Amino acid sequence: MKLRGEIKSINEKFFTAKDGSETKYLEVHVEQKDEQYPMAIVANVFGDKVENFLKFNKVGAFGDLSINVRVKESKGRLFNSISVWRFDKVEATAPAVSEEPTSDLPF
């Protein structure tokens, strides 16, 4: 699934595993700009992708966010998990401006 938008925030978080080890992950807030009903999403970046994501992406970057949406069960309850697997930067596009004036006149 893809979402095109702007990175609003990148938050570093730590997850403590059952064995006591800590793993760093990111929460990335992305918001669409060009839609009639803009959507915002917070997705996670895990594993070896964390350092590369921080190295090549900053708050304010505009691009295509590729995500996986999964459902996990814990103690009889279902939880959504949204993970980033790719972010491709693109130039923010402005609406096309016509150089010729539009008119219904025949001349």
Side-chain angles (χ1 to χ4, degrees), residues 88-99:
D88 296 319
K89 289 183 187 176
V90 295
E91 293 294 323
T93 56
V97 178
S98 175
E99 300 213 6

Side-chain angles (χ1 to χ4, degrees), residues 2-80:
K2 280 192 176 184
L3 172 74
R4 178 171 282 187
E6 178 184 359
I7 297 176
K8 291 297 195 180
S9 67
I10 301 172
N11 299 315
E12 293 184 36
K13 302 282 184 166
F14 292 92
F15 173 79
T16 304
K18 291 180 182 179
D19 65 358
S21 63
E22 282 194 342
T23 303
K24 184 165 97 171
Y25 70 97
L26 302 175
E27 285 184 349
V28 180
H29 174 209
V30 176
E31 190 173 286
Q32 286 181 320
K33 291 288 186 191
D34 57 348
E35 299 293 322
Q36 181 179 358
Y37 302 104
M39 182 173 57
I41 190 169
V42 175
N44 298 318
V45 179
F46 289 102
D48 59 346
K49 295 178 179 75
V50 169
E51 294 306 320
N52 280 337
F53 194 91
L54 288 173
K55 183 176 178 182
F56 295 109
N57 299 295
K58 304 286 184 224
V59 173
F62 188 83
D64 291 327
L65 183 74
S66 298
I67 58 173
N68 287 331
V69 180
R70 294 190 174 102
V71 175
K72 296 179 182 180
E73 183 180 356
S74 176
K75 299 178 184 177
R77 297 185 64 194
L78 299 174
F79 298 92
N80 289 329

